[in-house]
Amino acid sequence: MKRVAIPDIPRWFFKPLPNRPWVAYLGEGGNKLLHLDSGLVLPVPGPRDPVPTPDGRFISVPGISLFATADLMVDAHRATVPALEARLHGEYQSPGILSETPERVVYRFIADDSGPVVRDFALTLHDDAPARIEALGVKRRLCRGMHLQLPMIAPGGRELGAYDVDGGTTRILRINDDDTCEVLTDLGIATGKLSFSFDGRYVAFHLAHREKFSIKASQVPADRYAHNVFVVDRETARIARVTHNTASNAYYPAFRADGTLVYLFKPYDESGGRFNFVVADPAQISTWVPLAWVVGKCRSGDESCAETLALGSLRAHVCSRNGPKTSPATAALYTLSLRPESCRFLVRGHWRQHRESVSATLRFVPGSQGLASVDPEALARRCPVGLGLSTP
Amino acid sequence: MSAHAIRCLTLGSAILLLAAAGIDGLFDARADEISPATFDDADLTEAISAGSATGTPRGIVYVWSPHMPYSVHGLQDVLDLGQRLELPVIALLDPDADWQLAARVAEVAGLPGHALRAMRSNRLFDLGVTLHYPTLLVFGAGRLGDAVLPGHASPAVGEAFVRAQLMGR
């Protein structure tokens, strides 16, 4: 895990270059590139939303204008003229690559223009240098019949993630050849914008939750708003926590080509801390639970689900002073934050005192009927075997 | 440090306690002298019920952030929409926004002063209004609408959403 201070006040929107240690972001005065090793900052043309293509060849800005990344590195001040214009009106542009050969790359851009729109472009290469770009047809509307916001395309160009306004949840959709969309996965919760890993197996996003939090005995506990980063493994339908903030915030994780991701970290206000970009490796995470548990879908008779949620609820009872009000979903997220040794300490030291209240809190969860009679040692065996990545 | 805090320290909250104690090198020392006014659950309840009392029990909530440029540009569209539909607009600030940036952005964009109240309503938070900026929702008949609209929306899309919510969809 690596933490890099941002030398100014960033806007929340940023994207890492897929295959180099740079992050494109909007800071004071315009778009910029920040080198994650040296801290060097280079200017990037455009007023907002600098988004690299999945091959790292270009940085796009809304419109869509494409600036050659190599030109920006050589002489950013001269690279004010776009290398290519892709022409797609809308906000929140995101690029994918449909096909790639040494001579030709077919990009697919989507944007939000009163709903998702799409346009494909073919880039011709001569000696690996961009020669010309041509539109493959006109702008088309995507996912007709659906009310989607914040569409973000996968690097492969054939899937997107978006918030479904009517359902109130974030969904992963396949883009069919006729531009209709098919829901592949309903995450069952509302999330921040999705980012797809380059192999398509994982999606990352941030979630919001609040805690009764007090660090002084004399202080009246106040609700703190925290945002944390999560990763879902689409193959196993499991979710893991990447950050463990209880007051600070981690936003907008975005994958790089090597499977690592970059998120924006802002320490809570009273700390006076600086904004940071953090590089994390989800492959290091050892604690995953079924996504269904987090969205409150334990199966009847599945005691392991109820007991896992009980661990998080117990943590809330002991630590946050908000235990009886903690939802099963939040309890599941808390469980993902427990260190193995702390979890066992928590169960052995506090389960007997709080088990009636925890059981009452989770009384509507299938499989929770016998929770209050579970022996501490039996419950301790449900503790995580490892922790997600710790907040720097 | 209370026994309660010590127990929680063992559970991974050490970073927060260290920061509070000023021990770390984890955070730079910096204290803002000013902070924004806030808008909490009591304010929300009052706004909704006040609307009921005046015969206009409807309105729009719009949460924006100076860290999201589209949310700044979109606020004027929403204020215009409110005027056109004769609906009050409650504009609220991202609670995690850099306050000095917010004040500067609001001045440059000519945003109304009431837009600088920080969103501290748990009810709104639980509806997901901090997941993205802007986020728009509607209240009517003394209660909040059941849907939120995250992300920048064209005036037409915004108006369609507000009308649909007011019609109880």
Side-chain angles (χ1 to χ4, degrees):
Chain A
M1 178 170 290
K2 179 176 185 172
R3 179 172 177 255
V4 180
I6 304 171
D8 61 11
I9 301 175
R11 286 20 174 197
W12 296 149
F13 190 91
F14 68 92
K15 292 290 173 191
L17 265 62
N19 40 23
R20 301 187 210 192
W22 293 85
V23 174
Y25 73 103
L26 173 58
E28 297 286 344
N31 289 337
K32 302 177 184 183
L33 280 168
L34 170 66
H35 194 275
L36 293 173
D37 295 330
S38 68
L40 177 67
V41 176
L42 298 175
V44 174
R48 67 183 77 89
D49 294 0
V51 180
T53 51
D55 53 7
R57 196 183 302 273
F58 298 107
I59 292 179
S60 66
V61 299
I64 290 169
S65 300
L66 298 171
F67 295 90
T69 307
D71 291 349
L72 293 171
M73 304 290 180
V74 172
D75 191 345
H77 294 283
R78 283 192 179 180
T80 55
V81 178
L84 300 161
E85 295 281 1
R87 302 288 180 204
L88 179 65
H89 179 72
E91 295 95 27
Y92 308 128
Q93 88 280 7
S94 63
I97 292 180
L98 291 174
S99 64
E100 187 170 18
T101 68
E103 296 81 28
R104 191 171 187 258
V105 182
V106 177
Y107 295 102
R108 166 167 286 178
F109 278 89
I110 66 169
D112 189 335
D113 185 12
S114 298
V117 292
V118 62
R119 199 172 185 189
D120 301 335
F121 300 89
L123 171 72
T124 304
L125 299 167
H126 283 158
D127 297 330
D128 203 37
R132 64 189 172 89
I133 192 166
E134 58 183 330
L136 301 177
V138 298
K139 177 175 88 172
R140 290 120 52 200
R141 200 151 283 285
L142 268 184
C143 311
R144 286 185 183 277
M146 297 178 170
H147 191 179
L148 303 175
Q149 288 286 109
L150 308 174
M152 299 296 286
I153 201 168
R158 300 187 191 282
E159 294 181 336
L160 65 86
Y163 177 79
D164 183 278
V165 176
D166 296 330
T169 58
T170 300
R171 296 176 181 184
I172 298 170
L173 304 104
R174 175 187 293 130
I175 303 171
N176 296 321
D177 290 341
D178 62 359
D179 298 329
T180 61
C181 295
E182 178 184 345
V183 178
L184 297 175
T185 306
D186 181 348
L187 293 181
I189 44 178
T191 72
K193 278 182 185 172
L194 285 194
S195 172
F196 290 82
S197 63
F198 278 61
D199 63 5
R201 175 170 173 172
Y202 301 95
V203 290
F205 48 81
H206 65 253
L207 293 176
H209 66 100
R210 58 188 166 92
E211 302 203 17
K212 290 284 186 194
F213 178 79
S214 173
I215 53 176
K216 294 177 184 174
S218 60
Q219 193 178 47
V220 176
D223 282 292
R224 283 197 185 279
Y225 299 158
H227 296 78
N228 280 290
V229 170
F230 293 81
V231 176
V232 165
D233 181 341
R234 298 173 64 195
E235 276 188 22
T236 62
R238 288 176 177 261
I239 185 170
R241 244 181 123 135
V242 177
T243 65
H244 302 270
N245 303 320
T246 53
S248 299
N249 293 283
Y251 292 116
Y252 296 103
F255 277 102
R256 302 196 294 183
D258 65 359
T260 60
L261 52 81
V262 177
Y263 61 86
L264 193 150
F265 178 70
K266 180 176 182 286
Y268 70 100
D269 280 345
E270 289 84 344
S271 74
R274 296 268 304 270
F275 295 91
N276 297 273
F277 288 126
V278 180
V279 182
D281 185 0
Q284 302 297 319
I285 301 173
S286 51
T287 297
W288 298 75
V289 301
L291 176 63
W293 293 6
V294 173
V295 299
K297 290 183 179 172
C298 289
R299 289 195 309 273
S300 182
D302 184 357
E303 293 167 354
S304 61
C305 178
E307 290 175 12
T308 301
L309 268 52
L311 295 172
S313 181
L314 177 61
R315 182 261 196 207
H317 276 73
V318 174
C319 285
S320 75
R321 304 183 185 185
N322 199 30
K325 294 181 180 176
T326 302
S327 70
T330 301
L333 299 181
Y334 284 156
T335 300
L336 287 170
S337 280
L338 291 170
R339 296 176 189 280
E341 65 278 13
S342 299
C343 179
R344 291 190 289 271
F345 172 84
L346 177 74
V347 172
R348 289 166 182 152
H350 300 280
W351 175 241
R352 291 187 193 283
Q353 179 188 345
H354 293 284
R355 60 186 178 183
E356 295 293 342
S357 180
V358 169
S359 297
T361 301
L362 300 176
R363 63 189 178 282
F364 297 118
V365 173
S368 65
Q369 292 76 10
L371 207 51
S373 61
V374 173
D375 178 75
E377 286 307 314
L379 187 61
R381 285 194 285 276
R382 299 289 183 199
C383 282
V385 294
L387 181 69
L389 300 168
S390 59
T391 299
Chain B
M1 188 180 295
S2 69
H4 173 84
I6 292 170
R7 280 198 302 271
C8 292
L9 180 63
T10 65
L11 296 172
S13 300
I15 190 170
L16 299 169
L17 296 170
L18 287 170
I23 305 167
D24 56 23
L26 290 170
F27 304 111
D28 296 337
R30 183 184 63 120
D32 292 333
E33 295 294 325
I34 52 175
S35 59
T38 58
F39 183 96
D40 60 17
D41 280 341
D43 296 315
L44 180 65
T45 301
E46 185 181 331
I48 293 173
S49 56
S52 300
T54 58
T56 55
R58 307 183 303 176
I60 298 170
V61 176
Y62 182 87
V63 190
W64 71 283
S65 174
H67 297 271
M68 287 294 209
Y70 289 125
S71 76
V72 180
H73 303 319
L75 177 52
Q76 191 55 53
D77 290 340
V78 173
L79 291 170
D80 292 344
L81 174 63
Q83 198 163 33
R84 205 162 56 249
L85 300 181
E86 298 183 340
L87 296 172
V89 175
I90 299 172
L92 302 174
L93 175 65
D94 166 6
D96 198 33
D98 182 282
W99 164 239
Q100 292 174 341
L101 174 69
R104 205 164 63 242
V105 166
E107 184 177 359
V108 171
L111 304 185
H114 64 77
L116 282 170
R117 288 171 299 177
M119 201 297 295
R120 296 294 309 178
S121 162
N122 291 343
R123 287 179 65 192
L124 292 175
F125 182 86
D126 290 346
L127 287 171
V129 302
T130 65
L131 286 171
H132 192 85
Y133 303 100
T135 290
L136 183 151
L137 68 161
V138 176
F139 61 87
R143 65 179 184 84
L144 286 169
D146 55 5
V148 299
L149 186 68
H152 181 259
S154 66
V157 169
E159 180 168 346
F161 175 80
V162 170
R163 287 186 182 280
Q165 285 290 295
L166 291 175
M167 289 168 62
R169 268 193 57 202

